[in-house]
C-alpha cells in the first residue's frame, strides 16, 4: 500500500504541475489523461486540487512509513 501511495502521489503532483504549466505556458503536457478529470473551464482549479491531493497523499504515506521512535518514552522525564 505504501508504494501505491507513492505512485499515486507522484502522478497527482507531476500531472497537476504539468497541467498548470500547460495552461499557463501552452506547452509541456506530461500526463494528458488527467485533463479529463475536470470540467471545461475549470482546468486550473482541477490541477491545483490534484497537486494538493498529491501532497496530502505523500504526507499520509510519510506518516505510515514513520516508525515510532524508541526514545519517545524518555522525553517525558523521570517519573517519581
Amino acid at each position: 500500500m505504501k508504494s501505491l501511495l507513492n505512485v499515486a502521489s507522484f502522478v497527482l503532483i507531476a500531472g497537476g504541475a504539468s497541467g498548470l504549466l500547460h495552461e499557463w505556458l501552452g506547452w509541456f503536457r506530461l500526463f494528458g489523461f488527467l485533463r479529463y478529470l475536470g470540467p471545461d473551464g475549470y482546468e486550473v482549479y482541477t490541477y491545483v486540487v490534484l497537486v494538493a491531493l498529491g501532497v496530502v497523499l505523500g504526507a499520509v504515506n510519510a506518516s505510515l512509513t514513520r516508525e515510532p521512535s524508541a526514545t519517545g518514552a524518555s522525553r517525558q522525564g523521570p517519573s517519581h
Side-chain angles (χ1 to χ4, degrees):
M1 181 169 133
K2 295 174 199 173
S3 64
L4 179 65
L5 286 178
N6 273 339
V7 171
S9 175
F10 171 76
V11 168
L12 289 174
I13 292 173
S18 71
L20 287 172
L21 284 174
H22 180 73
E23 289 296 321
W24 291 333
L25 302 176
W27 56 274
F28 194 72
R29 173 72 73 180
L30 183 62
F31 293 104
F33 64 92
L34 292 176
R35 66 181 161 177
Y36 298 112
L37 292 178
D40 289 336
Y42 294 97
E43 290 89 1
V44 174
Y45 300 115
T46 302
Y47 295 135
V48 169
V49 168
L50 289 176
V51 170
L53 187 60
V55 169
V56 168
L57 280 179
V60 166
N61 185 35
S63 70
L64 288 177
T65 58
R66 189 175 307 137
E67 295 180 12
S69 63
T71 61
S74 65
R75 291 185 194 164
Q76 296 174 359
S79 60
H80 297 283

